[in-house]
Amino acid sequence: MTATSLTSSQGAGRAGDKIFSGAALAAGCLILAVLFGVALFLVVQAIPAFVAPAEDIQGGEGFFSYIWPIVIGTLIAAVIALVIATPVAIGVALFISHFAPRQLASGLGYVVDLLAAIPSVVYGAWGAAVLAKEITPVYNWLADNMGWLPIFAGPASATGKTILTAGIVLAVMVLPIITSLTREIFLQTPKLHEEAALALGATRWEMIKMTVLPFARPGIISAVMLGLGRALGETMAVALVLSSGALTASLIQSGNQTIAAEIALNFPEASGLKVSTLIAAGLVLFVITLAVNMVARWIIGRHKEFSGAN
């Protein structure tokens, strides 16, 4: 290669780097601009609900009295989903990555990934038509035998369409997201670390505790927070499964509501101040989701030294 051709190749490489760098910067700026635009739209459209007289807002006690029960309902449903889905997802991911035979692992991983492709309305229809009916006897048993706990206080819903049912449906929906991400992270654990632990006499479970889980901790947190974002914003499944009503501490009674379902059920027929109220509810959900992601990034930053990335 002559000096001229070498110089030409280096110049083309630098030009390509500049183009790629500029495209990446433009994409990042575009994301920020879209995010800012959405936030600005929500704030502008929500202002009438914030400044309106209390008696004009649904419930007659002002916007914050209207919004806080459905915020609590949203958080309850999301927490139930994560409590159920996270340990199951981590267990399935560990089985696929470290215990199952290769042929079984590939097929099982494919099946888990397919769960993420099912539309949310199908999950909602399944929850309303099948799960709610089948789980009603369980709710009656909980009310009779554990009703002294506020979360299981009776009378249990006769239809089974409760916040606990909605949380179970959400758990099934976020399960493939958490499982897929954690499985890929477990597979990235350095083999030398695993082999060193086994060579020192560790059992398979001890090796996983010493090498795989510490390495994957930030990734697991990211997967859980991504699942939380799906659970917070889910609309149709919750709208179909949950018999909405006043906020209640019992998970097996009819009642409670989530922000996303509240917007979906009421927005088509809303007008005037009601539209601003629902958009203000969307702004609250936007802030909650943003706060969750910020907390997740903070947690990941604190534990990044255990990830093996260094």
Side-chain angles (χ1 to χ4, degrees):
M1 181 179 292
T2 63
T4 303
S5 61
L6 180 62
T7 303
S8 176
S9 176
Q10 292 176 344
R14 295 193 188 98
D17 289 342
K18 291 180 179 179
I19 293 174
F20 177 78
S21 176
L25 178 62
C29 293
L30 178 62
I31 292 174
L32 292 177
V34 170
L35 184 64
F36 176 77
V38 171
L40 182 62
F41 166 80
L42 292 174
V43 170
V44 171
Q45 295 295 320
I47 288 176
F50 293 145
V51 301
E55 59 272 13
D56 292 342
I57 304 296
Q58 181 177 332
E61 297 182 2
F63 174 75
F64 293 101
S65 296
Y66 159 77
I67 195 64
W68 78 264
I70 57 177
V71 169
I72 300 299
T74 302
L75 296 178
I76 290 174
V79 169
I80 292 172
L82 291 187
V83 168
I84 297 173
T86 300
V88 176
I90 294 175
V92 172
L94 280 175
F95 177 75
I96 294 174
S97 61
H98 286 82
F99 291 96
R102 178 167 300 184
Q103 292 182 346
L104 177 60
S106 60
L108 185 57
Y110 179 70
V111 171
V112 171
D113 292 339
L114 280 179
L115 290 175
I118 299 176
S120 60
V121 68
V122 175
Y123 282 111
W126 167 76
V130 179
L131 180 61
K133 294 180 180 179
E134 296 298 328
I135 206 170
T136 300
V138 178
Y139 290 165
N140 291 328
W141 183 90
L142 289 173
D144 293 338
N145 296 275
M146 302 188 68
W148 50 275
L149 290 173
I151 60 174
F152 297 133
S157 171
T159 63
K161 294 183 176 182
T162 67
I163 193 71
L164 181 55
T165 306
I168 294 173
V169 173
L170 289 177
V172 177
M173 296 179 66
V174 303
L175 182 64
I177 298 174
I178 302 176
T179 301
S180 297
L181 292 176
T182 51
R183 181 189 69 214
E184 295 302 322
I185 295 164
F186 290 157
L187 290 173
Q188 293 175 13
T189 305
K191 293 299 180 183
L192 289 177
H193 293 184
E194 297 180 4
E195 293 171 357
L198 294 173
L200 291 173
T203 63
R204 178 68 65 88
W205 173 239
E206 290 172 340
M207 178 272 292
I208 290 174
K209 288 196 299 182
M210 289 189 297
T211 62
V212 178
L213 295 180
F215 177 86
R217 187 182 304 166
I220 293 173
I221 296 173
S222 299
V224 171
M225 291 302 162
L226 187 61
L228 177 58
R230 173 74 186 273
L232 287 172
E234 182 49 48
T235 303
M236 289 309 302
V238 177
L240 290 173
V241 171
L242 182 61
S243 293
S244 60
L247 178 66
T248 175
S250 177
L251 304 180
I252 60 175
Q253 293 181 11
S254 297
N256 296 309
Q257 180 63 297
T258 67
I259 296 176
E262 174 79 4
I263 296 172
L265 292 174
N266 293 285
F267 199 86
E269 300 178 356
S271 61
L273 183 60
K274 181 63 176 178
V275 173
S276 296
T277 302
L278 294 176
I279 292 177
L283 175 62
V284 173
L285 182 59
F286 179 85
V287 172
I288 292 173
T289 305
L290 184 63
V292 166
N293 282 278
M294 292 177 64
V295 171
R297 295 305 307 172
W298 175 73
I299 295 174
I300 293 170
R302 287 190 59 191
H303 294 92
K304 64 182 179 181
E305 65 271 15
F306 300 107
S307 67
N310 299 325

